[in-house]
Amino acid sequence: MSGQYKGDVSPAQAWDLLSSDENTVLVDVRTLAEWKCVGEPDLSSLSKNTIYIEWVSFPDRAPNAHFMSQLMQAVPNKDATVLFLCRTGVRSIAAAIAATEMGYENSYNILEGFEGDADQKGHRGRITGWQGRDLPWTH
């Protein structure tokens, strides 16, 4: 099943899954710098917490060698629906593939990521992505 994962969902579909299924979790694979400087998804209205596991580290962008062990610790139920989120939906695909290969068969990538596409002035988080689609987030 190499190179495969369950599929892609829009930010709104991700929110719906998180809202309707208690076994759905959100794993944000961005870096600590992104979480602190850009913002974080806010799942408090759903009585859930975002799981934070870097796919790569900042600033050297080295792969997180402990990603899978951290995921297994944070999400012991391999039957859970796992939604992966990054800045624009690229690192999260790699994370979903890796998770699927480790037995998390319900791994999804969130299209557009947290910040989404840049607007005409080059700013992200305004037109697409978790932020641009006005889903709950904190800074």
Side-chain angles (χ1 to χ4, degrees), residues 9 38 54 61 67 93 104 112 117 120:
V9 295
V38 178
E54 290 181 311
R61 306 206 50 84
F67 180 83
I93 290 173
Y104 291 89
E112 304 172 5
D117 297 321
Q120 292 177 338

Side-chain angles (χ1 to χ4, degrees), residues 26-105:
L26 177 64
V27 179
D28 189 329
V29 300
R30 295 176 299 145
T31 65
L32 175 64
E34 289 172 295
W35 302 325
K36 298 304 175 199
C37 297
V38 178
E40 308 170 42
D42 181 1
L43 305 182
S44 61
S45 68
L46 304 178
S47 299
K48 291 185 175 188
N49 295 310
T50 302
I51 297 166
Y52 300 97
I53 307 172
E54 290 181 311
W55 180 251
V56 297
S57 60
F58 179 83
D60 60 0
R61 306 206 50 84
N64 177 1
H66 305 288
F67 180 83
M68 287 314 305
S69 62
Q70 291 170 340
L71 179 63
M72 287 187 284
Q73 182 177 0
V75 187
N77 178 8
K78 288 190 175 184
D79 293 326
T81 298
V82 185
L83 307 174
F84 291 96
L85 178 73
C86 68
R87 184 182 77 161
T88 57
V90 176
R91 286 172 281 174
S92 50
I93 290 173
I97 291 169
T100 300
E101 290 174 350
M102 290 299 295
Y104 291 89
E105 293 183 13

